[in-house]
Amino acid sequence: MKAAFLSGLLALMPIFVFAQDAVQRDPHQMRGLHNDPMAYIGSLEDPKRDAYQKSQEVVAVLNLSAGEVIVDIGAGSGYFTFSLARHVSERGTIYAVDVSPDMILHINRRIRDLKVSNVVSILADPDDPLLPAASVNRFFFCDSWHHIENQTKYLSLMKRLLKPKGEIVVIDFHKKELPVGPPLQMRIAREDLITQMEENGFRLAKEHTFLPYQYFLVFTAK
């Protein structure tokens, strides 16, 4: 049973990580890079990604406050993790959550090399970020929500983990043909995500439209 679980988890890793890739790949190509962690990291950190991901603008419009606790789900190489960390001060905490040991190892090395004290990595279960109740100001998903298998369960869990007035931030690719992002069949349409969130006790609080290929939505509990 344990072997079967690990096999399934390993199969998911390349898809989960390459959700943030700077070029479009089909599932076969995504899985083909599974045995090369440095290729994963190189794709996530590709300078071409900056042109459309606009990470500085994304973090700026979140209007983060010193002392916030933010959970970066599917943190990957830490593309957003360390930018978020700079905006919450030493009093805040960024939890970098991923299911891939290779990504967590890479983030741990960056924590050491950058001498960062407010980033904590978590090698998590696919359906549980392993955090205490009422401890989180914001959950941050960049191109990773569509990989959560049991999304209804995850939403229920996040509701318990969020502090009052906490937020869920979701950035993901529009469900249409684009030059970047995961295969079309893996994407969730903006309208479907909003409906899903409303059906599970959340409402759309803000929307930012400056990203060329992705929607950028902020939800709060009703």
Side-chain angles (χ1 to χ4, degrees), residues 29-108:
Q29 292 172 318
M30 292 161 71
R31 293 181 186 279
L33 292 170
H34 170 59
N35 292 321
D36 189 350
M38 295 310 296
Y40 291 171
I41 293 164
S43 296
L44 297 177
E45 298 294 330
D46 189 336
K48 294 177 183 177
R49 182 181 178 189
D50 296 334
Y52 72 83
Q53 193 61 84
K54 303 181 183 296
S55 60
Q56 293 185 7
E57 292 94 327
V58 167
V59 174
V61 299
L62 291 175
N63 293 318
L64 304 179
S65 300
E68 283 197 41
V69 175
I70 301 174
V71 184
D72 185 3
I73 299 288
S77 64
Y79 181 86
F80 271 106
T81 301
F82 295 92
S83 295
L84 294 168
R86 288 192 291 271
H87 286 76
V88 299
S89 82
E90 295 300 310
R91 294 191 291 112
T93 302
I94 308 299
Y95 289 104
V97 176
D98 211 291
V99 300
S100 167
D102 290 323
M103 296 301 104
I104 294 300
L105 179 60
H106 177 72
I107 286 174
N108 287 343

Side-chain angles (χ1 to χ4, degrees), residues 19-218:
Q20 303 178 48
D21 202 347
V23 299
Q24 188 168 18
R25 304 179 192 269
D26 62 32
H28 177 73
Q29 292 172 318
M30 292 161 71
R31 293 181 186 279
L33 292 170
H34 170 59
N35 292 321
D36 189 350
M38 295 310 296
Y40 291 171
I41 293 164
S43 296
L44 297 177
E45 298 294 330
D46 189 336
K48 294 177 183 177
R49 182 181 178 189
D50 296 334
Y52 72 83
Q53 193 61 84
K54 303 181 183 296
S55 60
Q56 293 185 7
E57 292 94 327
V58 167
V59 174
V61 299
L62 291 175
N63 293 318
L64 304 179
S65 300
E68 283 197 41
V69 175
I70 301 174
V71 184
D72 185 3
I73 299 288
S77 64
Y79 181 86
F80 271 106
T81 301
F82 295 92
S83 295
L84 294 168
R86 288 192 291 271
H87 286 76
V88 299
S89 82
E90 295 300 310
R91 294 191 291 112
T93 302
I94 308 299
Y95 289 104
V97 176
D98 211 291
V99 300
S100 167
D102 290 323
M103 296 301 104
I104 294 300
L105 179 60
H106 177 72
I107 286 174
N108 287 343
R109 288 178 178 140
R110 290 190 68 185
I111 292 171
R112 177 199 63 193
D113 295 345
L114 296 172
K115 297 180 173 60
V116 176
S117 62
N118 63 346
V119 174
V120 178
S121 65
I122 298 178
L123 180 61
D125 293 331
D127 61 353
D128 189 344
L130 306 176
L131 291 165
S135 64
V136 177
N137 293 106
R138 309 188 205 212
F139 282 94
F140 182 84
F141 293 83
C142 183
D143 309 331
S144 55
W145 176 248
H146 61 270
H147 290 298
I148 303 296
E149 185 172 350
N150 190 337
Q151 294 173 342
T152 299
K153 177 183 176 182
Y154 215 91
L155 286 168
S156 177
L157 180 60
M158 286 194 291
K159 189 174 287 189
R160 296 200 305 272
L161 300 183
L162 281 170
K163 296 180 180 181
K165 299 182 180 180
E167 296 180 345
I168 298 174
V169 179
V170 181
I171 298 172
D172 221 322
F173 289 98
H174 288 288
K175 192 167 186 177
K176 61 183 179 180
E177 292 296 337
L178 297 168
V180 294
L184 191 63
Q185 64 268 28
M186 293 174 61
R187 305 181 194 184
I188 299 175
R190 170 192 172 277
E191 295 78 12
D192 292 341
L193 176 63
I194 293 172
T195 298
Q196 178 189 48
M197 298 295 280
E198 289 178 344
E199 290 175 348
N200 286 275
F202 294 92
R203 66 175 183 86
L204 181 63
K206 299 175 188 174
E207 179 172 10
H208 305 286
T209 58
F210 59 85
L211 297 177
Y213 304 130
Q214 299 151 298
Y215 48 80
F216 181 176
L217 309 176
V218 180

